[in-house]
Amino acid sequence: DVKVTQSSRYLVKRTGEKVFLECVQDMDHENMFWYRQDPGLGLRLIYFSYDVKMKEKGDIPEGYSVSREKKERFSLILESASTNQTSMYLCASSPGKVYTDTQYFGPGTRLTVL
Amino acid sequence: AQKITQTQPGMFVQEKEAVTLDCTYDTSDPSYGLFWYKQPSSGEMIFLIYQGSYDQQNATEGRYSLNFQKARKSANLVISASQLGDSAMYFCAMREAITGGGNKLTFGTGTQLKVEL
């Protein structure tokens, strides 16, 4: 089974802190994704990566950056956390072979910024 | 730009009944695909079913089936014989090809389904 893990289920940070959310997949997938989920808005894509060190902006990249130094690990970075970044963050991975690829999701990190 | 619309924020269904969750989409790409995911209260997204725009038949997967009407741009999820464990948030999503292979997804806002005894 594909396993996508995220470093924390719950995280509480203060405004202005630098925050790292980590995601690891164990299926040698090429593509990895970061979404945020807010009530009434569904899931929105922040960034994705289709190869090591390669990244592309999604629909809402402002205030975020990412890092992919190894194939299995994709990090989301909040350079200076703000209260409007309080949300559920979901990581996903997919094989990256065909356009019908299914994305596999991690359990999510619920981040609260005070 | 692609757009996915789910107009039912919440739905109720009685156990053992069938339920239809609506999804309409908009795209200018002649080749596209639609996914449905389930998100229980635990938070993890679970893939349910996929329908490609060129697929000749509507997709089915166990108790899940897709009522795909291309002319109406709709891809409604039908759950037959509802069970209490089907209570969850359901998301419709459309794929878009990305550099290097694979796809990225645009999600709808979701429908919260509650199955009652």
Side-chain angles (χ1 to χ4, degrees), chain A:
Chain A
D1 275 356
V2 176
K3 189 83 172 164
V4 180
T5 56
Q6 295 182 230
S7 49
S8 307
R9 288 304 302 269
Y10 299 92
L11 207 54
V12 180
K13 296 292 181 181
R14 297 216 173 267
T15 302
E17 278 193 77
K18 191 168 185 175
V19 181
F20 292 86
L21 302 183
E22 306 285 341
C23 175
V24 176
Q25 51 93 4
D26 66 357
M27 283 300 292
D28 200 36
H29 283 174
E30 301 293 330
N31 296 347
M32 296 188 75
F33 307 82
W34 275 106
Y35 296 89
R36 68 176 279 176
Q37 181 179 3
D38 300 288
L41 296 178
L43 279 73
R44 293 177 292 166
L45 182 63
I46 305 172
Y47 267 97
F48 65 95
S49 167
Y50 54 89
D51 199 353
V52 175
K53 297 190 187 292
M54 305 304 289
K55 60 188 180 186
E56 284 201 23
K57 293 179 180 178
D59 300 317
I60 52 163
E62 297 78 18
Y64 303 94
S65 62
V66 290
S67 171
R68 194 169 181 199
E69 296 295 321
K70 292 185 178 181
K71 192 174 185 179
E72 67 271 17
R73 187 178 297 270
F74 192 35
S75 302
L76 180 69
I77 303 157
L78 288 65
E79 294 289 342
S80 177
S82 64
T83 54
N84 63 12
Q85 292 178 310
T86 291
S87 186
M88 169 72 97
Y89 290 88
L90 291 162
C91 175
S93 73
S94 68
K97 307 292 186 198
V98 294
Y99 60 84
T100 54
D101 274 356
T102 298
Q103 290 188 17
Y104 298 87
F105 284 79
T109 295
R110 189 166 291 282
L111 173 67
T112 301
V113 183
L114 301 174

